[in-house]
Amino acid sequence: MAGVTKVEIRESVEELHELLRKQKTASSLERIQALYLLKIGQVKTIQDVAVVVGRARVTLQRWLKDYQESGIKGLLTTKKSPGRPAIISLQVREQLDKELQESEGFKSYEEIRTWLKAVEGIEASYKVVHDTVRYQMKAKLKVPRAVGIKYDSEAESEFKKNCHNI
């Protein structure tokens, strides 16, 4: 009979039922449900399982192949894509962190962009530099507040002495 699976399911019906109850994600639930349906004999072919679970036949075949090769653990592991590599690598971040720790530091994110281009040869947008420094590295730029031309520190201390807080 075409489509009949030759996969031997090693877990018992009770074990699969218990695993089915414990699943937290929908994808894991579907995978265990496919094994459970095959084990209890409710469906005979992979195509029937695919219809009941709501997935393509090829997807079910891939799941069963994963199960045959590495068991229930292999079936339940979900692979996550690593994503695009960061423009500013970890080594450059460490060097940038050292530069930020120095007393003069950087006055602006544009200055950091210029430093990255000159020293490391990395051309990154303002947004990338800002997000990396501010949110990923949790660093702040060392920019002192501007002091007025007429600022007098003695007058300030005298005012603080004579000021009565109500």
Side-chain angles (χ1 to χ4, degrees):
M1 186 182 209
V4 174
T5 180
K6 294 176 179 70
V7 175
E8 180 190 334
I9 300 170
R10 296 178 287 276
E11 287 78 20
S12 68
V13 175
E14 293 80 24
E15 289 174 334
L16 288 172
H17 190 272
E18 189 63 30
L19 278 171
L20 200 57
R21 288 186 333 104
K22 288 183 180 179
Q23 296 313 306
K24 303 231 186 281
T25 62
S27 62
S28 298
L29 184 86
E30 288 175 335
R31 293 165 192 229
I32 298 295
Q33 184 181 20
L35 288 179
Y36 182 74
L37 291 172
L38 285 169
K39 184 70 172 187
I40 64 173
Q42 187 172 354
V43 290
K44 299 289 184 211
T45 65
I46 294 176
Q47 183 63 41
D48 293 341
V49 177
V51 169
V52 171
V53 174
R55 294 292 181 156
R57 176 188 52 81
V58 176
T59 303
L60 264 289
Q61 286 175 330
R62 189 180 70 242
W63 289 353
L64 292 173
K65 180 180 166 231
D66 289 344
Y67 176 73
Q68 274 183 320
E69 290 175 357
S70 48
I72 205 83
K73 295 277 187 207
L75 180 68
L76 295 178
T77 55
T78 54
K79 298 159 190 85
K80 187 178 182 307
S81 174
R84 184 185 344 179
I87 292 173
I88 303 173
S89 67
L90 291 176
Q91 295 169 340
V92 175
R93 283 185 191 187
E94 289 172 2
Q95 194 170 354
L96 179 59
D97 195 33
K98 288 177 188 172
E99 291 289 328
L100 286 167
Q101 297 300 325
E102 288 183 10
S103 60
E104 63 265 1
F106 292 105
K107 291 188 174 97
S108 68
Y109 293 108
E110 278 299 327
E111 194 175 314
I112 295 174
R113 285 186 66 209
T114 307
W115 179 83
L116 284 171
K117 176 101 170 132
V119 176
E120 300 296 330
I122 297 172
E123 185 141 358
S125 69
Y126 182 92
K127 182 182 182 332
V128 168
V129 172
H130 178 265
D131 285 349
T132 303
V133 173
R134 183 77 173 105
Y135 300 113
Q136 295 174 14
M137 295 174 63
K138 307 259 190 264
K140 292 184 180 177
L141 300 180
K142 293 183 175 157
V143 181
R145 286 194 175 168
V147 177
I149 297 171
K150 298 178 184 177
Y151 174 74
D152 185 11
S153 60
E154 292 176 13
E156 179 187 8
S157 61
E158 187 65 32
F159 175 77
K160 287 182 180 178
K161 286 179 192 174
N162 296 328
C163 180
H164 300 289
N165 291 337
I166 297 175

